[in-house]
PDB file of all heavy atoms in Angstrom:
ATOM      1  N   PHE A 130     -30.363-103.069 111.788  1.00  0.00           N
ATOM      2  CA  PHE A 130     -29.932-101.684 111.901  1.00  0.00           C
ATOM      3  C   PHE A 130     -31.053-100.850 112.586  1.00  0.00           C
ATOM      4  O   PHE A 130     -30.725 -99.953 113.403  1.00  0.00           O
ATOM      5  CB  PHE A 130     -29.802-101.099 110.309  1.00  0.00           C
ATOM      6  CG  PHE A 130     -29.547 -99.632 110.406  1.00  0.00           C
ATOM      7  CD1 PHE A 130     -28.221 -99.178 110.453  1.00  0.00           C
ATOM      8  CD2 PHE A 130     -30.587 -98.720 110.002  1.00  0.00           C
ATOM      9  CE1 PHE A 130     -28.039 -97.772 110.550  1.00  0.00           C
ATOM     10  CE2 PHE A 130     -30.320 -97.391 110.054  1.00  0.00           C
ATOM     11  CZ  PHE A 130     -29.029 -96.889 110.244  1.00  0.00           C
ATOM     12  N   VAL A 134     -29.288 -99.777 115.914  1.00  0.00           N
ATOM     13  CA  VAL A 134     -28.757 -98.458 115.672  1.00  0.00           C
ATOM     14  C   VAL A 134     -29.756 -97.381 115.721  1.00  0.00           C
ATOM     15  O   VAL A 134     -29.706 -96.504 116.504  1.00  0.00           O
ATOM     16  CB  VAL A 134     -28.006 -98.287 114.347  1.00  0.00           C
ATOM     17  CG1 VAL A 134     -27.502 -96.949 114.021  1.00  0.00           C
ATOM     18  CG2 VAL A 134     -26.861 -99.326 114.214  1.00  0.00           C
ATOM     19  N   LEU A 135     -30.850 -97.501 114.903  1.00  0.00           N
ATOM     20  CA  LEU A 135     -31.811 -96.542 114.811  1.00  0.00           C
ATOM     21  C   LEU A 135     -32.674 -96.249 115.997  1.00  0.00           C
ATOM     22  O   LEU A 135     -32.943 -95.148 116.462  1.00  0.00           O
ATOM     23  CB  LEU A 135     -32.776 -96.820 113.559  1.00  0.00           C
ATOM     24  CG  LEU A 135     -33.577 -95.612 113.136  1.00  0.00           C
ATOM     25  CD1 LEU A 135     -32.756 -94.480 112.598  1.00  0.00           C
ATOM     26  CD2 LEU A 135     -34.454 -95.972 111.913  1.00  0.00           C
ATOM     27  N   ILE A 138     -30.717 -94.336 118.693  1.00  0.00           N
ATOM     28  CA  ILE A 138     -30.449 -93.048 118.270  1.00  0.00           C
ATOM     29  C   ILE A 138     -31.786 -92.275 118.402  1.00  0.00           C
ATOM     30  O   ILE A 138     -31.881 -91.112 118.872  1.00  0.00           O
ATOM     31  CB  ILE A 138     -29.885 -93.015 116.776  1.00  0.00           C
ATOM     32  CG1 ILE A 138     -28.408 -93.454 116.805  1.00  0.00           C
ATOM     33  CG2 ILE A 138     -30.091 -91.604 116.151  1.00  0.00           C
ATOM     34  CD1 ILE A 138     -27.885 -93.501 115.337  1.00  0.00           C
ATOM     35  N   CYS A 142     -32.512 -89.009 120.524  1.00  0.00           N
ATOM     36  CA  CYS A 142     -32.949 -87.830 119.816  1.00  0.00           C
ATOM     37  C   CYS A 142     -34.337 -87.312 120.543  1.00  0.00           C
ATOM     38  O   CYS A 142     -34.427 -86.094 120.566  1.00  0.00           O
ATOM     39  CB  CYS A 142     -33.156 -88.006 118.353  1.00  0.00           C
ATOM     40  SG  CYS A 142     -31.624 -88.394 117.464  1.00  0.00           S
ATOM     41  N   PHE A 148     -28.768 -83.082 122.131  1.00  0.00           N
ATOM     42  CA  PHE A 148     -28.393 -84.193 121.112  1.00  0.00           C
ATOM     43  C   PHE A 148     -29.366 -84.357 120.073  1.00  0.00           C
ATOM     44  O   PHE A 148     -28.955 -84.628 118.942  1.00  0.00           O
ATOM     45  CB  PHE A 148     -28.212 -85.612 121.862  1.00  0.00           C
ATOM     46  CG  PHE A 148     -27.719 -86.693 121.057  1.00  0.00           C
ATOM     47  CD1 PHE A 148     -26.363 -86.657 120.650  1.00  0.00           C
ATOM     48  CD2 PHE A 148     -28.519 -87.711 120.648  1.00  0.00           C
ATOM     49  CE1 PHE A 148     -25.815 -87.736 119.802  1.00  0.00           C
ATOM     50  CE2 PHE A 148     -28.020 -88.678 119.772  1.00  0.00           C
ATOM     51  CZ  PHE A 148     -26.744 -88.807 119.442  1.00  0.00           C
ATOM     52  N   ARG A 149     -30.552 -83.957 120.246  1.00  0.00           N
ATOM     53  CA  ARG A 149     -31.530 -83.982 119.360  1.00  0.00           C
ATOM     54  C   ARG A 149     -31.368 -83.129 118.125  1.00  0.00           C
ATOM     55  O   ARG A 149     -31.913 -83.239 117.035  1.00  0.00           O
ATOM     56  CB  ARG A 149     -32.992 -83.753 120.009  1.00  0.00           C
ATOM     57  CG  ARG A 149     -34.131 -83.927 119.114  1.00  0.00           C
ATOM     58  CD  ARG A 149     -35.410 -84.107 119.919  1.00  0.00           C
ATOM     59  NE  ARG A 149     -35.808 -82.874 120.769  1.00  0.00           N
ATOM     60  CZ  ARG A 149     -36.420 -81.963 120.323  1.00  0.00           C
ATOM     61  NH1 ARG A 149     -37.005 -81.972 119.172  1.00  0.00           N
ATOM     62  NH2 ARG A 149     -36.717 -80.934 121.127  1.00  0.00           N
ATOM     63  N   LEU A 152     -34.575 -81.555 116.094  1.00  0.00           N
ATOM     64  CA  LEU A 152     -35.367 -82.357 115.197  1.00  0.00           C
ATOM     65  C   LEU A 152     -36.521 -82.952 116.036  1.00  0.00           C
ATOM     66  O   LEU A 152     -36.286 -83.584 117.084  1.00  0.00           O
ATOM     67  CB  LEU A 152     -34.587 -83.409 114.603  1.00  0.00           C
ATOM     68  CG  LEU A 152     -33.469 -82.854 113.673  1.00  0.00           C
ATOM     69  CD1 LEU A 152     -32.739 -84.089 113.071  1.00  0.00           C
ATOM     70  CD2 LEU A 152     -34.151 -82.044 112.504  1.00  0.00           C
ATOM     71  N   PHE A 156     -40.419 -85.957 112.296  1.00  0.00           N
ATOM     72  CA  PHE A 156     -39.648 -86.704 111.367  1.00  0.00           C
ATOM     73  C   PHE A 156     -39.742 -88.247 111.691  1.00  0.00           C
ATOM     74  O   PHE A 156     -39.628 -89.084 110.836  1.00  0.00           O
ATOM     75  CB  PHE A 156     -38.195 -86.271 111.484  1.00  0.00           C
ATOM     76  CG  PHE A 156     -38.124 -84.762 111.074  1.00  0.00           C
ATOM     77  CD1 PHE A 156     -37.991 -83.846 112.100  1.00  0.00           C
ATOM     78  CD2 PHE A 156     -38.201 -84.404 109.753  1.00  0.00           C
ATOM     79  CE1 PHE A 156     -37.895 -82.543 111.689  1.00  0.00           C
ATOM     80  CE2 PHE A 156     -38.040 -83.012 109.354  1.00  0.00           C
ATOM     81  CZ  PHE A 156     -37.891 -82.161 110.378  1.00  0.00           C
ATOM     82  N   ILE A 160     -41.064 -91.357 109.193  1.00  0.00           N
ATOM     83  CA  ILE A 160     -40.419 -92.705 108.978  1.00  0.00           C
ATOM     84  C   ILE A 160     -41.446 -93.806 109.185  1.00  0.00           C
ATOM     85  O   ILE A 160     -41.405 -94.792 108.449  1.00  0.00           O
ATOM     86  CB  ILE A 160     -39.200 -92.859 110.019  1.00  0.00           C
ATOM     87  CG1 ILE A 160     -38.123 -91.774 109.787  1.00  0.00           C
ATOM     88  CG2 ILE A 160     -38.770 -94.244 109.991  1.00  0.00           C
ATOM     89  CD1 ILE A 160     -37.496 -91.947 108.484  1.00  0.00           C
ATOM     90  N   PHE A 206     -37.747 -88.889 102.058  1.00  0.00           N
ATOM     91  CA  PHE A 206     -36.483 -88.242 102.607  1.00  0.00           C
ATOM     92  C   PHE A 206     -36.217 -86.817 102.156  1.00  0.00           C
ATOM     93  O   PHE A 206     -36.080 -85.848 102.916  1.00  0.00           O
ATOM     94  CB  PHE A 206     -35.347 -89.051 102.339  1.00  0.00           C
ATOM     95  CG  PHE A 206     -35.375 -90.438 103.056  1.00  0.00           C
ATOM     96  CD1 PHE A 206     -35.883 -91.470 102.409  1.00  0.00           C
ATOM     97  CD2 PHE A 206     -34.964 -90.650 104.304  1.00  0.00           C
ATOM     98  CE1 PHE A 206     -35.977 -92.766 103.055  1.00  0.00           C
ATOM     99  CE2 PHE A 206     -35.008 -91.694 104.978  1.00  0.00           C
ATOM    100  CZ  PHE A 206     -35.536 -92.923 104.309  1.00  0.00           C
ATOM    101  N   PRO A 207     -36.519 -86.534 100.757  1.00  0.00           N
ATOM    102  CA  PRO A 207     -36.429 -85.125 100.295  1.00  0.00           C
ATOM    103  C   PRO A 207     -37.589 -84.369 101.017  1.00  0.00           C
ATOM    104  O   PRO A 207     -37.361 -83.170 101.350  1.00  0.00           O
ATOM    105  CB  PRO A 207     -36.562 -85.220  98.967  1.00  0.00           C
ATOM    106  CG  PRO A 207     -36.197 -86.555  98.501  1.00  0.00           C
ATOM    107  CD  PRO A 207     -36.486 -87.484  99.588  1.00  0.00           C
ATOM    108  N   MET A 209     -38.786 -84.739 104.032  1.00  0.00           N
ATOM    109  CA  MET A 209     -38.359 -84.321 105.355  1.00  0.00           C
ATOM    110  C   MET A 209     -37.397 -83.192 105.431  1.00  0.00           C
ATOM    111  O   MET A 209     -37.498 -82.179 106.222  1.00  0.00           O
ATOM    112  CB  MET A 209     -37.898 -85.547 106.131  1.00  0.00           C
ATOM    113  CG  MET A 209     -38.866 -86.563 106.441  1.00  0.00           C
ATOM    114  SD  MET A 209     -38.350 -87.837 107.594  1.00  0.00           S
ATOM    115  CE  MET A 209     -36.931 -88.685 106.617  1.00  0.00           C
ATOM    116  N   TYR A 210     -36.479 -83.308 104.474  1.00  0.00           N
ATOM    117  CA  TYR A 210     -35.430 -82.154 104.420  1.00  0.00           C
ATOM    118  C   TYR A 210     -36.047 -80.891 103.983  1.00  0.00           C
ATOM    119  O   TYR A 210     -35.716 -79.751 104.465  1.00  0.00           O
ATOM    120  CB  TYR A 210     -34.308 -82.616 103.482  1.00  0.00           C
ATOM    121  CG  TYR A 210     -33.307 -83.415 104.078  1.00  0.00           C
ATOM    122  CD1 TYR A 210     -33.630 -84.808 104.434  1.00  0.00           C
ATOM    123  CD2 TYR A 210     -31.952 -83.042 104.217  1.00  0.00           C
ATOM    124  CE1 TYR A 210     -32.694 -85.657 104.990  1.00  0.00           C
ATOM    125  CE2 TYR A 210     -31.014 -83.898 104.718  1.00  0.00           C
ATOM    126  CZ  TYR A 210     -31.441 -85.172 105.169  1.00  0.00           C
ATOM    127  OH  TYR A 210     -30.415 -86.051 105.680  1.00  0.00           O
ATOM    128  N   TYR A 213     -38.092 -79.365 106.969  1.00  0.00           N
ATOM    129  CA  TYR A 213     -37.169 -78.681 107.872  1.00  0.00           C
ATOM    130  C   TYR A 213     -36.639 -77.374 107.328  1.00  0.00           C
ATOM    131  O   TYR A 213     -36.601 -76.350 108.076  1.00  0.00           O
ATOM    132  CB  TYR A 213     -35.974 -79.658 108.237  1.00  0.00           C
ATOM    133  CG  TYR A 213     -35.041 -78.993 109.179  1.00  0.00           C
ATOM    134  CD1 TYR A 213     -35.254 -79.174 110.530  1.00  0.00           C
ATOM    135  CD2 TYR A 213     -33.805 -78.383 108.708  1.00  0.00           C
ATOM    136  CE1 TYR A 213     -34.295 -78.535 111.519  1.00  0.00           C
ATOM    137  CE2 TYR A 213     -32.924 -77.760 109.701  1.00  0.00           C
ATOM    138  CZ  TYR A 213     -33.243 -77.822 111.058  1.00  0.00           C
ATOM    139  OH  TYR A 213     -32.334 -77.278 111.875  1.00  0.00           O
ATOM    140  N   LEU A 221     -32.920 -75.482 100.820  1.00  0.00           N
ATOM    141  CA  LEU A 221     -32.934 -76.955 100.959  1.00  0.00           C
ATOM    142  C   LEU A 221     -31.597 -77.547 100.953  1.00  0.00           C
ATOM    143  O   LEU A 221     -31.183 -78.378 101.842  1.00  0.00           O
ATOM    144  CB  LEU A 221     -33.754 -77.574  99.879  1.00  0.00           C
ATOM    145  CG  LEU A 221     -33.804 -79.161  99.864  1.00  0.00           C
ATOM    146  CD1 LEU A 221     -34.466 -79.679 101.050  1.00  0.00           C
ATOM    147  CD2 LEU A 221     -34.709 -79.599  98.587  1.00  0.00           C
ATOM    148  N   TYR A 222     -30.723 -77.005 100.149  1.00  0.00           N
ATOM    149  CA  TYR A 222     -29.277 -77.668 100.068  1.00  0.00           C
ATOM    150  C   TYR A 222     -28.496 -77.392 101.316  1.00  0.00           C
ATOM    151  O   TYR A 222     -27.446 -78.134 101.516  1.00  0.00           O
ATOM    152  CB  TYR A 222     -28.588 -77.003  98.906  1.00  0.00           C
ATOM    153  CG  TYR A 222     -28.140 -75.451  98.955  1.00  0.00           C
ATOM    154  CD1 TYR A 222     -26.997 -75.165  99.550  1.00  0.00           C
ATOM    155  CD2 TYR A 222     -29.033 -74.557  98.474  1.00  0.00           C
ATOM    156  CE1 TYR A 222     -26.564 -73.809  99.664  1.00  0.00           C
ATOM    157  CE2 TYR A 222     -28.694 -73.219  98.588  1.00  0.00           C
ATOM    158  CZ  TYR A 222     -27.608 -72.852  99.231  1.00  0.00           C
ATOM    159  OH  TYR A 222     -27.130 -71.497  99.353  1.00  0.00           O
ATOM    160  N   LEU A 223     -28.876 -76.488 102.282  1.00  0.00           N
ATOM    161  CA  LEU A 223     -28.127 -76.321 103.390  1.00  0.00           C
ATOM    162  C   LEU A 223     -28.630 -77.239 104.586  1.00  0.00           C
ATOM    163  O   LEU A 223     -27.937 -77.220 105.612  1.00  0.00           O
ATOM    164  CB  LEU A 223     -28.384 -74.814 104.037  1.00  0.00           C
ATOM    165  CG  LEU A 223     -27.673 -73.700 103.104  1.00  0.00           C
ATOM    166  CD1 LEU A 223     -27.942 -72.321 103.719  1.00  0.00           C
ATOM    167  CD2 LEU A 223     -26.084 -73.957 103.144  1.00  0.00           C
ATOM    168  N   VAL A 224     -29.770 -77.872 104.404  1.00  0.00           N
ATOM    169  CA  VAL A 224     -30.197 -78.758 105.515  1.00  0.00           C
ATOM    170  C   VAL A 224     -29.277 -79.790 105.928  1.00  0.00           C
ATOM    171  O   VAL A 224     -29.063 -79.891 107.139  1.00  0.00           O
ATOM    172  CB  VAL A 224     -31.548 -79.378 105.051  1.00  0.00           C
ATOM    173  CG1 VAL A 224     -31.979 -80.404 106.162  1.00  0.00           C
ATOM    174  CG2 VAL A 224     -32.607 -78.354 104.782  1.00  0.00           C
ATOM    175  N   PRO A 225     -28.598 -80.530 105.151  1.00  0.00           N
ATOM    176  CA  PRO A 225     -27.652 -81.586 105.610  1.00  0.00           C
ATOM    177  C   PRO A 225     -26.529 -81.060 106.430  1.00  0.00           C
ATOM    178  O   PRO A 225     -26.040 -81.733 107.235  1.00  0.00           O
ATOM    179  CB  PRO A 225     -27.056 -82.172 104.176  1.00  0.00           C
ATOM    180  CG  PRO A 225     -28.105 -81.928 103.240  1.00  0.00           C
ATOM    181  CD  PRO A 225     -28.702 -80.564 103.555  1.00  0.00           C
ATOM    182  N   PHE A 226     -26.183 -79.738 106.261  1.00  0.00           N
ATOM    183  CA  PHE A 226     -25.153 -79.141 107.135  1.00  0.00           C
ATOM    184  C   PHE A 226     -25.726 -78.451 108.342  1.00  0.00           C
ATOM    185  O   PHE A 226     -24.815 -78.107 109.251  1.00  0.00           O
ATOM    186  CB  PHE A 226     -24.491 -78.008 106.236  1.00  0.00           C
ATOM    187  CG  PHE A 226     -23.903 -78.497 104.923  1.00  0.00           C
ATOM    188  CD1 PHE A 226     -24.670 -78.176 103.788  1.00  0.00           C
ATOM    189  CD2 PHE A 226     -22.774 -79.214 104.879  1.00  0.00           C
ATOM    190  CE1 PHE A 226     -24.212 -78.652 102.547  1.00  0.00           C
ATOM    191  CE2 PHE A 226     -22.331 -79.659 103.544  1.00  0.00           C
ATOM    192  CZ  PHE A 226     -22.989 -79.376 102.400  1.00  0.00           C
ATOM    193  N   ARG A 227     -27.028 -78.418 108.500  1.00  0.00           N
ATOM    194  CA  ARG A 227     -27.627 -77.810 109.720  1.00  0.00           C
ATOM    195  C   ARG A 227     -28.048 -78.856 110.757  1.00  0.00           C
ATOM    196  O   ARG A 227     -28.207 -78.509 111.904  1.00  0.00           O
ATOM    197  CB  ARG A 227     -28.728 -76.854 109.359  1.00  0.00           C
ATOM    198  CG  ARG A 227     -28.371 -75.593 108.703  1.00  0.00           C
ATOM    199  CD  ARG A 227     -27.722 -74.595 109.657  1.00  0.00           C
ATOM    200  NE  ARG A 227     -28.795 -74.211 110.751  1.00  0.00           N
ATOM    201  CZ  ARG A 227     -29.574 -73.319 110.545  1.00  0.00           C
ATOM    202  NH1 ARG A 227     -29.663 -72.528 109.542  1.00  0.00           N
ATOM    203  NH2 ARG A 227     -30.485 -73.119 111.585  1.00  0.00           N
ATOM    204  N   ILE A 228     -28.370 -80.089 110.283  1.00  0.00           N
ATOM    205  CA  ILE A 228     -28.818 -81.133 111.170  1.00  0.00           C
ATOM    206  C   ILE A 228     -27.700 -82.003 111.746  1.00  0.00           C
ATOM    207  O   ILE A 228     -26.526 -82.036 110.927  1.00  0.00           O
ATOM    208  CB  ILE A 228     -29.910 -81.975 110.533  1.00  0.00           C
ATOM    209  CG1 ILE A 228     -29.390 -82.845 109.248  1.00  0.00           C
ATOM    210  CG2 ILE A 228     -31.026 -81.108 110.075  1.00  0.00           C
ATOM    211  CD1 ILE A 228     -30.358 -83.681 108.643  1.00  0.00           C
ATOM    212  N   PRO A 229     -27.894 -82.725 112.725  1.00  0.00           N
ATOM    213  CA  PRO A 229     -26.799 -83.613 113.280  1.00  0.00           C
ATOM    214  C   PRO A 229     -26.191 -84.552 112.261  1.00  0.00           C
ATOM    215  O   PRO A 229     -27.013 -85.127 111.408  1.00  0.00           O
ATOM    216  CB  PRO A 229     -27.330 -84.158 114.345  1.00  0.00           C
ATOM    217  CG  PRO A 229     -28.466 -83.326 114.882  1.00  0.00           C
ATOM    218  CD  PRO A 229     -28.951 -82.723 113.594  1.00  0.00           C
ATOM    219  N   LEU A 230     -25.001 -84.956 112.262  1.00  0.00           N
ATOM    220  CA  LEU A 230     -24.399 -85.773 111.346  1.00  0.00           C
ATOM    221  C   LEU A 230     -25.102 -87.115 111.405  1.00  0.00           C
ATOM    222  O   LEU A 230     -25.244 -87.869 110.384  1.00  0.00           O
ATOM    223  CB  LEU A 230     -22.925 -86.016 111.551  1.00  0.00           C
ATOM    224  CG  LEU A 230     -22.112 -87.043 110.695  1.00  0.00           C
ATOM    225  CD1 LEU A 230     -22.231 -86.655 109.280  1.00  0.00           C
ATOM    226  CD2 LEU A 230     -20.622 -87.124 111.182  1.00  0.00           C
ATOM    227  N   HIS A 231     -25.338 -87.670 112.633  1.00  0.00           N
ATOM    228  CA  HIS A 231     -25.993 -88.986 112.715  1.00  0.00           C
ATOM    229  C   HIS A 231     -27.299 -89.027 112.166  1.00  0.00           C
ATOM    230  O   HIS A 231     -27.757 -90.064 111.683  1.00  0.00           O
ATOM    231  CB  HIS A 231     -26.069 -89.371 114.270  1.00  0.00           C
ATOM    232  CG  HIS A 231     -27.029 -88.563 115.060  1.00  0.00           C
ATOM    233  ND1 HIS A 231     -26.664 -87.412 115.738  1.00  0.00           N
ATOM    234  CD2 HIS A 231     -28.494 -88.725 115.216  1.00  0.00           C
ATOM    235  CE1 HIS A 231     -27.688 -86.846 116.291  1.00  0.00           C
ATOM    236  NE2 HIS A 231     -28.805 -87.538 115.980  1.00  0.00           N
ATOM    237  N   CYS A 232     -28.030 -87.947 111.949  1.00  0.00           N
ATOM    238  CA  CYS A 232     -29.306 -87.966 111.235  1.00  0.00           C
ATOM    239  C   CYS A 232     -29.133 -88.082 109.699  1.00  0.00           C
ATOM    240  O   CYS A 232     -29.840 -88.861 109.115  1.00  0.00           O
ATOM    241  CB  CYS A 232     -30.070 -86.607 111.591  1.00  0.00           C
ATOM    242  SG  CYS A 232     -30.624 -86.475 113.158  1.00  0.00           S
ATOM    243  N   ASN A 233     -28.167 -87.550 109.239  1.00  0.00           N
ATOM    244  CA  ASN A 233     -27.753 -87.819 107.728  1.00  0.00           C
ATOM    245  C   ASN A 233     -27.338 -89.205 107.491  1.00  0.00           C
ATOM    246  O   ASN A 233     -27.690 -89.735 106.504  1.00  0.00           O
ATOM    247  CB  ASN A 233     -26.635 -86.871 107.341  1.00  0.00           C
ATOM    248  CG  ASN A 233     -27.061 -85.284 107.220  1.00  0.00           C
ATOM    249  OD1 ASN A 233     -28.189 -85.116 106.714  1.00  0.00           O
ATOM    250  ND2 ASN A 233     -26.338 -84.449 107.751  1.00  0.00           N
ATOM    251  N   ILE A 234     -26.455 -89.668 108.407  1.00  0.00           N
ATOM    252  CA  ILE A 234     -26.056 -91.057 108.213  1.00  0.00           C
ATOM    253  C   ILE A 234     -27.213 -92.069 108.381  1.00  0.00           C
ATOM    254  O   ILE A 234     -27.363 -92.999 107.473  1.00  0.00           O
ATOM    255  CB  ILE A 234     -24.992 -91.431 109.393  1.00  0.00           C
ATOM    256  CG1 ILE A 234     -23.746 -90.528 109.073  1.00  0.00           C
ATOM    257  CG2 ILE A 234     -24.628 -92.891 109.276  1.00  0.00           C
ATOM    258  CD1 ILE A 234     -22.657 -90.689 110.158  1.00  0.00           C
ATOM    259  N   ALA A 235     -28.074 -91.834 109.269  1.00  0.00           N
ATOM    260  CA  ALA A 235     -29.204 -92.819 109.371  1.00  0.00           C
ATOM    261  C   ALA A 235     -30.119 -92.704 108.182  1.00  0.00           C
ATOM    262  O   ALA A 235     -30.649 -93.674 107.757  1.00  0.00           O
ATOM    263  CB  ALA A 235     -30.048 -92.375 110.788  1.00  0.00           C
ATOM    264  N   ASN A 236     -30.435 -91.437 107.705  1.00  0.00           N
ATOM    265  CA  ASN A 236     -31.272 -91.302 106.603  1.00  0.00           C
ATOM    266  C   ASN A 236     -30.563 -92.022 105.303  1.00  0.00           C
ATOM    267  O   ASN A 236     -31.246 -92.661 104.515  1.00  0.00           O
ATOM    268  CB  ASN A 236     -31.492 -89.852 106.185  1.00  0.00           C
ATOM    269  CG  ASN A 236     -32.470 -89.253 107.238  1.00  0.00           C
ATOM    270  OD1 ASN A 236     -33.339 -89.999 107.774  1.00  0.00           O
ATOM    271  ND2 ASN A 236     -32.397 -87.869 107.451  1.00  0.00           N
ATOM    272  N   ALA A 237     -29.369 -91.856 105.141  1.00  0.00           N
ATOM    273  CA  ALA A 237     -28.619 -92.373 104.064  1.00  0.00           C
ATOM    274  C   ALA A 237     -28.689 -93.993 104.211  1.00  0.00           C
ATOM    275  O   ALA A 237     -28.788 -94.660 103.138  1.00  0.00           O
ATOM    276  CB  ALA A 237     -27.098 -91.968 103.942  1.00  0.00           C
ATOM    277  N   SER A 238     -28.517 -94.468 105.369  1.00  0.00           N
ATOM    278  CA  SER A 238     -28.651 -95.969 105.627  1.00  0.00           C
ATOM    279  C   SER A 238     -29.941 -96.508 105.357  1.00  0.00           C
ATOM    280  O   SER A 238     -30.069 -97.628 104.906  1.00  0.00           O
ATOM    281  CB  SER A 238     -28.078 -96.274 107.073  1.00  0.00           C
ATOM    282  OG  SER A 238     -26.766 -95.743 107.234  1.00  0.00           O
ATOM    283  N   LEU A 239     -30.945 -95.788 105.635  1.00  0.00           N
ATOM    284  CA  LEU A 239     -32.326 -96.148 105.414  1.00  0.00           C
ATOM    285  C   LEU A 239     -32.676 -96.094 103.871  1.00  0.00           C
ATOM    286  O   LEU A 239     -33.391 -96.993 103.345  1.00  0.00           O
ATOM    287  CB  LEU A 239     -33.327 -95.309 106.208  1.00  0.00           C
ATOM    288  CG  LEU A 239     -33.405 -95.602 107.601  1.00  0.00           C
ATOM    289  CD1 LEU A 239     -34.220 -94.570 108.427  1.00  0.00           C
ATOM    290  CD2 LEU A 239     -33.941 -97.006 107.984  1.00  0.00           C
ATOM    291  N   ILE A 240     -32.282 -95.003 103.212  1.00  0.00           N
ATOM    292  CA  ILE A 240     -32.752 -94.890 101.732  1.00  0.00           C
ATOM    293  C   ILE A 240     -31.950 -95.773 100.838  1.00  0.00           C
ATOM    294  O   ILE A 240     -32.500 -96.151  99.731  1.00  0.00           O
ATOM    295  CB  ILE A 240     -32.641 -93.364 101.361  1.00  0.00           C
ATOM    296  CG1 ILE A 240     -33.550 -93.195 100.040  1.00  0.00           C
ATOM    297  CG2 ILE A 240     -31.187 -93.108 101.106  1.00  0.00           C
ATOM    298  CD1 ILE A 240     -33.574 -91.794  99.644  1.00  0.00           C
ATOM    299  N   ALA A 241     -30.822 -96.221 101.174  1.00  0.00           N
ATOM    300  CA  ALA A 241     -29.880 -96.967 100.263  1.00  0.00           C
ATOM    301  C   ALA A 241     -30.571 -98.405  99.960  1.00  0.00           C
ATOM    302  O   ALA A 241     -30.750 -98.648  98.797  1.00  0.00           O
ATOM    303  CB  ALA A 241     -28.555 -97.209 100.852  1.00  0.00           C
TER     304      ALA A 241
END
Side-chain angles (χ1 to χ4, degrees):
F130 176 80
V134 179
L135 196 60
I138 285 178
C142 288
F148 185 69
R149 186 161 62 91
L152 293 180
F156 303 100
I160 297 297
F206 295 93
M209 290 193 295
Y210 279 65
Y213 181 83
L221 179 60
Y222 69 88
L223 288 180
V224 173
F226 306 101
R227 287 286 300 271
I228 64 176
L230 176 62
H231 66 268
C232 292
N233 288 314
I234 294 174
N236 287 334
S238 300
L239 284 174
I240 197 174

